[in-house]
């Protein structure tokens, strides 16, 4: 890895689908690391997978060479295979249905244009240390969302 390259591992988690969700990201550049996580009370796993990549890219302060490691084929194939056709068809699928999570895909599309990205799919829960850490962070995001909901209901 060269010193200007940023490696990012992302993951999403959902307890119920839809349900309480979380996202996590580990960013690494040389010796520097940053961890990010968050969650939402009523979401899907795919939304959390997308949110993890979005929040990781938002954390970058300048254009970078980025390698994104994801265990989500939905994200990896969406970016490398499906996105161009969705855009060409006005955010519609091949069978003319609206693209699910189009708001997040559109946000991600804008963010990736600022960087040079390489997408790497990794098998989830297979011992990749970056992926395992991103999974831990995503689960922390679920707990964060759960705590926020508990606090909100206690304030009523």
């Amino acid at each position: 890895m060269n010193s200007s390259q940023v490696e990012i591992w992302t993951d999403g988690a959902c307890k119920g689908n839809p349900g309480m969700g979380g996202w996590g990201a580990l960013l690494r550049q040389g010796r520097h690391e940053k961890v990010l996580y968050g969650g939402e009370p009523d979401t899907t796993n795919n939304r959390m997978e997308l949110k993890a990549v979005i929040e990781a890219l938002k954390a970058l302060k300048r254009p970078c060479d980025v390698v994104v490691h994801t265990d989500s084929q939905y994200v990896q194939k969406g970016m490398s295979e499906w996105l161009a056709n969705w855009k060409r068809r006005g955010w519609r699928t091949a069978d003319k249905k609206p693209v699910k999570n189009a708001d997040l895909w559109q946000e991600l599309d804008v963010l990736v244009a600022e960087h040079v990205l390489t997408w790497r799919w990794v098998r989830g829960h297979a011992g990749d240390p970056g992926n395992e850490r991103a999974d831990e962070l995503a689960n922390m995001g679920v707990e964060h969302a759960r705590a926020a909901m508990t606090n909100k209901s206690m304030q009523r």
Side-chain angles (χ1 to χ4, degrees), residues 100-118:
K100 290 182 181 175
N101 304 310
D103 59 328
L104 296 179
W105 284 114
Q106 290 165 359
E107 185 176 4
L108 184 54
D109 186 38
V110 169
L111 289 167
V112 300
E114 300 173 18
H115 308 282
V116 176
L117 267 82
T118 302

Side-chain angles (χ1 to χ4, degrees), residues 102-148:
D103 59 328
L104 296 179
W105 284 114
Q106 290 165 359
E107 185 176 4
L108 184 54
D109 186 38
V110 169
L111 289 167
V112 300
E114 300 173 18
H115 308 282
V116 176
L117 267 82
T118 302
W119 295 92
R120 293 215 177 119
W121 180 79
V122 296
R123 183 172 305 281
H125 310 287
D128 179 292
N131 178 257
E132 296 294 334
R133 183 69 174 124
D135 179 65
E136 290 172 10
L137 293 165
N139 282 295
M140 287 171 60
V142 172
E143 293 309 313
H144 179 78
R146 184 172 285 129

Side-chain angles (χ1 to χ4, degrees), residues 13-30:
C14 218
K15 306 302 178 196
N17 199 19
M20 190 77 60
W23 56 267
L26 169 65
L27 293 78
R28 190 175 290 153
Q29 182 179 29

Side-chain angles (χ1 to χ4, degrees), residues 55-75:
E55 294 302 326
L57 293 176
K58 281 181 173 180
L60 300 176
K61 306 278 190 248
R62 57 179 163 60
C64 299
D65 290 333
V66 180
V67 178
V68 177
H69 304 262
T70 178
D71 64 5
S72 169
Q73 290 192 359
Y74 176 68
V75 170

